[in-house]
Amino acid sequence: MMKKMSISTSKTSLVLLLCQIISALDVPLDLSQPPTITQQSPKDYIVDPRENIVIQCEAKGKPPPSFSWTRNGTHFDIDKDAQVTMKPNSGTLVINIMNGGKAEAYEGVYQCTARNERGAAISNNIVVRPSRSPLWTKEKLEPNHVREGDSLVLHCRPPVGLPPPIIFWMDNAFQRLPQSERVSQGLNGDLYFSNVQPEDTREDYICYARFNHTQTIQQKQPISVKVFSMDSLNDTIAANLSDTDIFGAKPVTERQPVLLTPTGSTSTKVELRGNVLLLECIAAGLPTPVIRWIKEGGELPANRTFFENFKKTLKIIDVSEADSGNYKCIARNALGSVHHVISVTVKAAPYWITAPRNLVLSPGEDGTLICRANGNPKPSISWLANGVPIAIAPEDPSRKVDGDTIIFSHVQERSSAVYQCNASNEYGYLLANAFVNVLAEPPRILTPANKLYQVIADSPALLDCAYFGSPRPEIEWFKGVKGSILRGNEYVFHDNGTLEIPVAQKNNAGTYTCVARNELGKIQNEVQLEIKDPTMIIKQPEYKVIQRYGQVSFECIIKHDSTLLPTVTWLKDNDELPDDERFLVGKDNLTIMNVTDKDDGTYTCIVNTTLDSVSASAVLTVVARPNPPFDLELTGQLERSIDLSWLPGDENNSPITSFVIEFEDALHEPGVWRYQTEVPGSQTTAQLKLSPYVNYAFRVIAVNRIGRSQPSEPSEQYLTKSASPDENPANVQGIGSEPDNLVITWEPLKGFQSNGPGLQYKVSWRQKDVDDEWTSVIVANVSKYIVSGTPTFVPYEVKVQALNDLGYAPEPSEVIGHSGEDLPMVAPGNVQVHVINSTLAKVHWDPVPLKSVRGHLQGYKVYYWKVQSLSRRSRRHVEKKILTFRGNKTFGMLPGLEPYSSYKLNVRVVNGKGEGPASPDKVFKTPEGVPSSPSFLKITNPTLDSLTLEWGSPTHPNGVLTSYTLKFQPINNTHELGPLVEIRIPANESSLILKNLNYSTRYKFYFNAQTSVGSGSQITEEAVTIMDEAMASRQVDIATQGWFIGLMCAVALLILILLIVCFIRRNKGGKYPVKEKEDAHADPEIQPMKEDDGTFGEYSDAEDHKPLKKGSRTPSDRTVKKEDSDDSLVDYGEGVNGQFNEDGSFIGQYSGKKEKEPAEGNESSEAPSPVNAMNSFV
């Protein structure tokens, strides 16, 4: 959808070049030269009789020529006619008609002669005729009475005017009469009817003739046409005939084609070369014939052939002799065909092959004048010298006439003259003037000196060197002032002196010198050539589809030579942009705001410089929801169906995919539109099903990809006749609301389903499986009926039938319903419980007899609750649990029981009314299970070789505890676990002292409880025995040595300095001022974070007050609760990797460790303080 054009002004210079070649020997006006006719009126000159007649004749020459005229072949003395004047320094005649002259008096053939001392030139024969627009002759026009289906021709016969008038048909209201394949105007102006229809009846068929030259319109008297249909004709004739008369008028019958024009089977046509060939065939027939054209023995010329007037006219433009031949038109309808052959002959008025051209010769030179023309028939050639036939012209020994050529030898100055060549045949003539001018002149260069030429790279460069001289000078070109002569295929040297560089490149820029020389002298001229970069559109506008009221932009980004100033212009459909503020033209784009339908079209970006022009186009398609359909029409009305047709609205560039048809029932639901049907978008008619007793109106909605149109205007209303109902109520049910009733409900018919007035319902019921008659009642237009006094929950057969004033609907189908339910009477029996394991049991029961259910069986509910735990003998609040089992199920599973407990349960049956009585409580017990973990494990009283363990019994023993199991193992300095030791402890114990342990060693403990079923989950803890006193003493002694104290101080100072430097570097790398960071966050090296909220608190060496990771330390009493993490310090890293993030807040990262990795003694998990650092060296 996008196109690109490129125009270069340098290419258009080629056209100018041709003109320069032709006029290359134009003699400068300061030198003597014979006359040359420069302007004259056309050969066939039709003038307006109401205005002055101006007959043009302009010429140039040196000395300036004088002018004279002939009229009808004799001298026209303008001095003797006061109405005729000649313009000063011109041969143009002005005939004054406005002051009393008559144009008809000056009708004739005029010829102008321009003469000076070197010769005489003559104009064409100018035939002057005043235009004519005569009135129609008065005539009595009889009305045309035509039978329907017959053909008819209304003749125009306009008056003969000059030039011929343009014919058209209109009515009294000056509206053009519509034309079609059936009715059309012929080339002669007559109005042809292939067959007439009743709608052709009218009294104002008026033919108009418009005479463009005088701007007048003549009108023929109105023609009346009356078309009689056969039915009306039969009625008219039958009314005037007696019963004994016989009349048998035939109905309208179809007829095969017959040609109205041209007549016969063949005809001939002569047309002149270069004109437009018009061939016509108009046929009568019913159905209306279709016309087709062929050329016998050939093809119709492509690109020059057009069909007009509904293919009744064949038009071929710019005909040539090759278009001669036989052209056949074929008129065809369903009954047959007819044809006509037109034999076309193309003749030709004379046309030039070689027209004579002016000769400029120096004394003693030779030359020729050539005059060659063609035509059909072949034209004759005749020569004149200074307007006189050459046979009687003065003798000139230097010339010789040889048919269409005059040969000149050794001319002298007296040989100067103007020669006329006349080529003529029966269809016209050609007249050309060509002078022979004998001069002796040194070279002249007519191109201005130092002229600057600018061209676009890769385009032709044309450097002019217009010259004159006699003898004719030779031209040479040089590049630069002292460059060598230019030769080779890179250049083209034209006869008029122009140098052409076919594909100019940057290296072609520079100074060029043109030198002209003949035997009388030499002259040179310099010109400048600059090569510019081409203008390009590097980002072109692209095809866009936009919804109405949206916004769209087209880009047009350009690249151009820096020395050229481009101008960007936007066009819409090759015209200026609308004067609308919605169109915003930017530097390199066009934006259209709030797009409307009228913005649809082709947008072109044109970039112009002084040297070139480029353009690119893109199409904008504006899409929108379709316009609503219109002209809804109802046809084919029947009791149960109707045909609806419509005309689609504008699809707004998005094809219509479907039409939705809706209806309104003005009788029952006025103002409510309901869906009727949907048809494809290619369909504009639909047959609609109707219901009785509905006052229908229809509307249509068009749908396309964008959305739905507004609804059309409603159609006319159509009321269907009443009828008995077609259907019965739906969703009929019989359900009792009380134990002694039956409620019968149904879904009432809608208004349009009633099919007539007086809608009611016949409600019928009887007890099922009982030999009872139907009980019926007729109720108004309601939706339920209650039957009272029924037995409890017995089945009933129910049916509901619609009826109205015109009768009953078809027999309805029966449905089964039940009277009302009551609570079940008995409880399930034989309830049994089977304990599967300590947490799951299965319960069984016998079903309740259906009669005792007294309703729809919904299922069974099992109520169960824990009475007490067998291990603790303590009662607690009873919380009953309920499980529901749907349907007629007689067993169920009870999950989630607690081990070693006593439970009770009962079972109840459920119906639609509620629950029945409970079965007797059933007691069952669950067996023992494994216990939960001990409630706590506390390690106290560490010594060199012993630890004391205390624990609490499991919260849920789930049985009788039999023992505890303790496992423990040491953790060495490489975080490896040592051998595992296991000890079994009686169930009645709650503490234990472990002895014979290694001093200063970390141990990990695993502790759980057992029942007879097995072991429960374990709890873990870690603890450390204390140091050997001797080692502690040695540590104190070393710490008191001076050398050690000095070393530790130096290390501490170094660490402090490093921390300060790191802190300063981090502050400098932040995004915020140091002052704000200092106010917001204290130095982390001075104030550690508190464990609970992350704020900074006082620093302490006390190990219990250091921040701990979750699960990395036990509380001060060395107790681990059950809900605490089971992980120990071994599971985590040795400390907090603290750093400040970008906003100054503290980030603490915990890194998890595998369980086998050791933790050394009671080391703090914090970053080391100076004191801790010193301790680490002990």
Side-chain angles (χ1 to χ4, degrees):
M1 302 298 293
M2 185 187 68
K3 58 183 180 179
K4 180 179 179 183
M5 302 179 295
S6 179
I7 306 169
S8 175
T9 54
S10 59
K11 293 181 181 178
T12 61
S13 300
L14 292 174
V15 179
L16 299 176
L17 171 65
L18 298 177
C19 299
Q20 291 169 351
I21 292 174
I22 294 173
S23 59
L25 294 182
D26 281 355
V27 181
L29 287 177
D30 62 335
L31 299 177
S32 296
Q33 59 180 293
T36 300
I37 300 291
T38 58
Q39 191 172 358
Q40 59 184 314
S41 293
K43 294 178 181 180
D44 191 8
Y45 187 26
I46 300 175
V47 298
D48 190 335
R50 301 166 297 179
E51 298 178 354
N52 292 340
I53 301 174
V54 178
I55 309 175
Q56 290 184 327
C57 181
E58 304 289 342
K60 66 177 182 176
K62 182 71 174 182
S66 61
F67 297 89
S68 62
W69 286 86
T70 63
R71 178 184 174 194
N72 297 328
T74 61
H75 176 66
F76 182 35
D77 191 349
I78 62 175
D79 295 332
K80 293 183 178 180
D81 192 331
Q83 304 295 332
V84 182
T85 58
M86 185 182 294
K87 289 185 178 181
N89 303 317
S90 168
T92 297
L93 294 181
V94 178
I95 303 173
N96 197 332
I97 300 300
M98 313 220 16
N99 289 333
K102 290 188 180 280
E104 291 79 4
Y106 295 93
E107 190 171 349
V109 180
Y110 293 78
Q111 189 172 42
C112 170
T113 301
R115 187 184 308 274
N116 69 8
E117 61 188 32
R118 293 220 161 208
I122 61 176
S123 71
N124 291 321
N125 287 328
I126 302 170
V127 180
V128 177
R129 294 182 293 171
S131 63
R132 300 181 180 88
S133 52
L135 298 175
W136 246 289
T137 57
K138 292 198 180 262
E139 57 182 326
K140 184 178 180 181
L141 299 176
E142 297 293 336
N144 291 273
H145 297 278
V146 194
R147 184 175 61 178
E148 180 183 357
D150 286 355
S151 61
L152 174 65
V153 180
L154 300 183
H155 298 286
C156 181
R157 300 191 183 98
V160 178
L162 186 67
I166 297 173
I167 307 300
F168 52 93
W169 290 79
M170 295 199 299
D171 58 17
N172 276 332
F174 296 101
Q175 299 296 315
R176 285 188 179 267
L177 295 174
Q179 298 191 22
S180 62
E181 290 184 340
R182 186 177 63 84
V183 181
S184 60
Q185 177 183 316
L187 294 176
N188 62 355
D190 292 347
L191 191 63
Y192 292 85
F193 295 77
S194 295
N195 53 79
V196 294
Q197 301 296 327
E199 59 264 25
D200 296 327
T201 298
R202 63 190 308 155
E203 298 180 352
D204 57 350
Y205 287 94
I206 305 173
C207 181
Y208 288 85
R210 184 174 68 219
F211 297 90
N212 281 346
H213 218 79
T214 57
Q215 297 297 309
T216 58
I217 296 178
Q218 305 291 353
Q219 172 184 336
K220 187 182 178 74
Q221 291 177 299
I223 302 174
S224 173
V225 174
K226 175 99 173 160
V227 179
F228 291 98
S229 64
M230 294 311 304
D231 292 339
S232 62
L233 190 60
N234 285 341
D235 293 342
T236 302
I237 296 176
N240 297 313
L241 296 177
S242 64
D243 293 341
T244 59
D245 292 326
I246 299 175
F247 179 72
K250 297 181 180 179
V252 177
T253 56
E254 296 182 340
R255 301 187 313 280
Q256 65 181 21
V258 176
L259 286 175
L260 297 175
T261 184
T263 57
S265 59
T266 61
S267 60
T268 60
K269 172 80 173 181
V270 176
E271 192 56 78
L272 292 182
R273 178 181 182 270
N275 287 356
V276 175
L277 174 66
L278 294 173
L279 304 178
E280 180 180 59
C281 273
I282 301 178
L286 186 69
T288 302
V290 176
I291 306 297
R292 186 167 67 92
W293 291 90
I294 61 172
K295 182 180 181 182
E296 293 184 343
E299 298 290 334
L300 295 173
N303 303 324
R304 295 189 294 117
T305 301
F306 304 91
F307 298 100
E308 297 180 344
N309 198 20
F310 308 98
K311 292 193 175 182
K312 300 174 186 178
T313 302
L314 172 65
K315 177 180 177 181
I316 302 176
I317 62 173
D318 192 23
V319 294
S320 64
E321 289 87 342
D323 295 319
S324 298
N326 293 332
Y327 292 82
K328 178 187 287 187
C329 70
I330 304 168
R332 184 185 303 275
N333 67 7
L335 277 70
S337 64
V338 64
H339 68 268
H340 183 93
V341 177
I342 304 173
S343 179
V344 174
T345 302
V346 178
K347 299 291 185 178
Y351 56 92
W352 290 118
I353 296 176
T354 305
R357 296 173 57 187
N358 296 335
L359 276 178
V360 178
L361 302 173
S362 62
E365 279 192 313
D366 301 335
T368 58
L369 287 178
I370 300 174
C371 177
R372 288 178 184 160
N374 201 359
N376 187 9
K378 182 78 174 176
S380 61
I381 304 294
S382 60
W383 288 96
L384 297 88
N386 296 325
V388 178
I390 202 166
I392 60 175
E395 289 286 337
D396 184 353
S398 66
R399 75 176 177 231
K400 177 184 177 182
V401 178
D402 184 9
D404 58 8
T405 304
I406 300 179
I407 303 172
F408 296 93
S409 305
H410 303 288
V411 295
Q412 301 301 319
E413 187 174 350
R414 66 176 179 273
S415 300
S416 297
V418 181
Y419 292 88
Q420 290 83 34
C421 173
N422 187 302
S424 61
N425 65 11
E426 60 186 283
Y427 298 107
Y429 73 93
L430 293 173
L431 178 67
N433 290 278
F435 64 68
V436 175
N437 195 15
V438 182
L439 293 172
E441 285 291 327
R444 297 185 183 189
I445 292 181
L446 307 179
T447 300
N450 291 313
K451 184 175 181 180
L452 176 63
Y453 292 90
Q454 296 177 326
V455 299
I456 297 297
D458 298 325
S459 300
L462 300 168
L463 309 183
D464 292 334
C465 185
Y467 66 91
F468 181 79
S470 183
R472 182 175 184 141
E474 293 181 358
I475 303 296
E476 293 178 328
W477 281 93
F478 300 85
K479 185 173 182 186
V481 178
K482 297 181 180 180
S484 59
I485 188 170
L486 298 180
R487 291 187 177 87
N489 296 330
E490 185 181 352
Y491 305 99
V492 178
F493 303 95
H494 293 280
D495 291 341
N496 68 343
T498 296
L499 169 66
E500 178 183 354
I501 306 174
V503 184
Q505 302 294 334
K506 288 282 188 178
N507 58 3
N508 295 127
T511 301
Y512 288 80
T513 303
C514 164
V515 177
R517 61 165 56 91
N518 67 8
E519 61 190 37
L520 300 177
K522 166 187 169 185
I523 193 171
Q524 70 181 39
N525 187 36
E526 293 180 359
V527 296
Q528 307 296 324
L529 175 62
E530 292 181 356
I531 309 298
K532 306 292 185 180
D533 290 327
T535 305
M536 295 183 294
I537 299 178
I538 58 177
K539 178 66 174 178
Q540 301 180 0
E542 298 177 346
Y543 171 67
K544 296 291 180 69
V545 177
I546 189 72
Q547 288 193 32
R548 188 188 293 163
Y549 309 125
Q551 175 179 325
V552 67
S553 290
F554 291 107
E555 287 188 292
C556 185
I557 301 176
I558 64 174
K559 179 182 178 183
H560 61 91
D561 192 285
S562 60
T563 62
L564 299 178
L565 182 62
T567 59
V568 179
T569 305
W570 286 91
L571 302 180
K572 179 183 183 296
D573 297 329
N574 294 323
D575 204 351
E576 292 183 357
L577 290 178
D579 186 12
D580 192 329
E581 61 184 8
R582 297 182 301 106
F583 289 77
L584 306 177
V585 178
K587 177 184 176 183
D588 51 15
N589 62 62
L590 167 67
T591 301
I592 308 173
M593 313 287 291
N594 196 23
V595 173
T596 64
D597 292 338
K598 65 182 180 181
D599 299 331
D600 197 275
T602 300
Y603 289 84
T604 304
C605 166
I606 300 178
V607 185
N608 289 307
T609 67
T610 54
L611 298 182
D612 63 351
S613 176
V614 292
S615 67
S617 299
V619 173
L620 172 63
T621 300
V622 181
V623 296
R625 295 183 301 171
N627 291 351
F630 60 95
D631 199 14
L632 273 65
E633 184 179 1
L634 297 176
T635 57
Q637 291 89 342
L638 299 174
E639 289 187 5
R640 292 299 181 102
S641 68
I642 197 169
D643 294 328
L644 173 66
S645 62
W646 61 90
L647 294 177
D650 193 335
E651 64 184 18
N652 293 323
N653 296 321
S654 181
I656 295 174
T657 56
S658 63
F659 292 99
V660 176
I661 302 172
E662 298 179 338
F663 73 92
E664 176 198 31
D665 181 4
L667 190 62
H668 303 100
E669 294 179 310
V672 178
W673 290 91
R674 297 190 179 277
Y675 175 85
Q676 172 83 19
T677 189
E678 187 169 353
V679 298
S682 59
Q683 191 172 322
T684 57
T685 60
Q687 187 176 63
L688 308 177
K689 294 181 180 181
L690 305 179
S691 296
Y693 193 53
V694 176
N695 192 8
Y696 281 101
F698 299 97
R699 69 182 187 186
V700 183
I701 299 170
V703 182
N704 66 6
R705 185 176 60 86
I706 310 303
R708 295 161 63 104
S709 73
Q710 292 294 320
S712 68
E713 291 296 322
S715 69
E716 59 181 312
Q717 292 186 338
Y718 178 63
L719 178 62
T720 54
K721 295 180 181 181
S722 301
S724 58
D726 292 327
E727 52 189 312
N728 288 301
N731 200 21
V732 177
Q733 292 182 325
I735 301 174
S737 61
E738 297 294 337
D740 60 349
N741 74 5
L742 173 66
V743 180
I744 302 173
T745 59
W746 60 91
E747 189 176 308
L749 299 180
K750 291 181 171 35
F752 65 90
Q753 295 175 306
S754 65
N755 286 6
L759 177 64
Q760 294 178 301
Y761 300 100
K762 180 182 178 183
V763 183
S764 303
W765 68 92
R766 67 179 178 184
Q767 190 171 337
K768 191 175 183 298
D769 301 329
V770 177
D771 192 14
D772 282 350
E773 295 293 330
W774 285 96
T775 302
S776 301
V777 63
I778 293 178
V779 298
N781 188 10
V782 294
S783 61
K784 74 175 180 178
Y785 181 77
I786 300 176
V787 180
S788 302
T790 63
T792 300
F793 196 68
V794 294
Y796 278 86
E797 294 176 311
V798 177
K799 59 183 178 180
V800 180
Q801 185 177 24
L803 67 150
N804 61 18
D805 292 348
L806 280 79
Y808 285 86
E811 183 66 23
S813 58
E814 302 167 4
V815 297
I816 304 299
H818 286 81
S819 57
E821 298 181 66
D822 206 347
L823 292 176
M825 298 174 61
V826 298
N830 194 24
V831 177
Q832 300 292 329
V833 178
H834 172 61
V835 178
I836 297 176
N837 56 39
S838 61
T839 60
L840 180 66
K842 184 176 184 180
V843 59
H844 292 263
W845 61 86
D846 289 342
V848 174
L850 291 179
K851 287 188 177 181
S852 299
V853 175
R854 297 203 297 178
H856 294 286
L857 176 63
Q858 303 290 326
Y860 292 87
K861 285 187 178 181
V862 176
Y863 287 74
Y864 65 100
W865 62 97
K866 179 179 176 182
V867 178
Q868 66 177 10
S869 172
L870 298 179
S871 61
R872 295 186 179 180
R873 306 295 180 182
S874 60
R875 293 183 175 270
R876 64 175 183 175
H877 173 70
V878 175
E879 180 183 353
K880 291 189 176 181
K881 297 181 180 180
I882 305 173
L883 287 178
T884 301
F885 300 94
R886 300 290 180 184
N888 194 21
K889 202 169 183 181
T890 60
F891 66 92
M893 306 299 290
L894 305 181
L897 302 177
E898 293 185 14
Y900 206 51
S901 298
S902 175
Y903 280 87
K904 287 185 179 181
L905 66 77
N906 58 53
V907 184
R908 310 177 192 193
V909 68
V910 182
N911 66 11
K913 191 73 172 177
E915 299 177 3
S919 66
D921 291 346
K922 188 73 173 177
V923 178
F924 66 95
K925 297 178 181 179
T926 56
E928 288 186 82
V930 297
S932 62
S933 62
S935 57
F936 68 87
L937 175 62
K938 182 169 31 174
I939 303 175
T940 61
N941 301 326
T943 67
L944 285 174
D945 62 350
S946 68
L947 292 171
T948 301
L949 278 67
E950 299 177 359
W951 60 87
S953 61
T955 305
H956 301 286
N958 295 335
V960 178
L961 293 181
T962 59
S963 64
Y964 293 102
T965 299
L966 173 65
K967 299 177 183 179
F968 65 94
Q969 58 190 147
I971 304 174
N972 63 18
N973 292 335
T974 60
H975 296 280
E976 294 179 351
L977 297 175
L980 188 66
V981 178
E982 181 176 338
I983 301 174
R984 189 169 296 272
I985 304 169
N988 57 353
E989 296 292 339
S990 62
S991 64
L992 175 66
I993 297 176
L994 282 178
K995 298 181 179 180
N996 298 323
L997 301 177
N998 296 327
Y999 62 85
S1000 189
T1001 302
R1002 180 181 295 277
Y1003 287 90
K1004 188 166 185 177
F1005 299 92
Y1006 311 89
F1007 192 70
N1008 60 10
Q1010 288 88 29
T1011 64
S1012 60
V1013 176
S1015 298
S1017 57
Q1018 66 185 11
I1019 186 172
T1020 64
E1021 176 57 294
E1022 293 180 10
V1024 182
T1025 57
I1026 66 174
M1027 286 185 187
D1028 186 345
E1029 292 180 0
M1031 290 183 63
S1033 175
R1034 285 196 299 272
Q1035 177 182 346
V1036 174
D1037 291 340
I1038 294 173
T1040 57
Q1041 299 299 312
W1043 64 268
F1044 184 76
I1045 295 173
L1047 177 62
M1048 290 298 101
C1049 288
V1051 171
L1053 180 60
L1054 179 61
I1055 293 173
L1056 182 61
I1057 291 172
L1058 289 175
L1059 291 174
I1060 293 173
V1061 170
C1062 292
F1063 178 75
I1064 293 174
R1065 289 176 61 91
R1066 289 184 184 274
N1067 280 350
K1068 286 184 178 181
K1071 295 184 178 179
Y1072 306 110
V1074 173
K1075 180 70 169 67
E1076 294 178 11
K1077 296 173 69 173
E1078 288 176 348
D1079 292 342
H1081 305 287
D1083 190 339
E1085 298 299 329
I1086 299 173
Q1087 294 183 356
M1089 293 182 64
K1090 291 184 181 180
E1091 182 181 3
D1092 52 352
D1093 58 6
T1095 62
F1096 293 99
E1098 294 182 359
Y1099 206 97
S1100 174
D1101 286 334
E1103 194 168 334
D1104 290 339
H1105 293 117
K1106 293 179 183 177
L1108 299 174
K1109 293 176 291 181
K1110 184 176 180 181
S1112 67
R1113 289 289 183 202
T1114 60
S1116 59
D1117 61 355
R1118 317 298 295 167
T1119 303
V1120 178
K1121 299 289 180 69
K1122 173 193 169 192
E1123 55 272 10
D1124 290 341
S1125 170
D1126 289 338
D1127 294 334
S1128 69
L1129 270 173
V1130 180
D1131 301 326
Y1132 300 96
E1134 297 180 0
V1136 176
N1137 297 321
Q1139 67 178 25
F1140 285 84
N1141 66 5
E1142 196 173 56
D1143 63 0
S1145 61
F1146 187 79
I1147 300 175
Q1149 296 180 344
Y1150 295 96
S1151 58
K1153 300 288 183 179
K1154 295 182 181 179
E1155 186 172 302
K1156 70 178 183 178
E1157 293 180 358
E1160 298 180 3
N1162 291 327
E1163 286 180 340
S1164 170
S1165 60
E1166 294 295 324
S1169 70
V1171 177
N1172 286 335
M1174 285 187 289
N1175 288 335
S1176 65
F1177 280 89
V1178 178

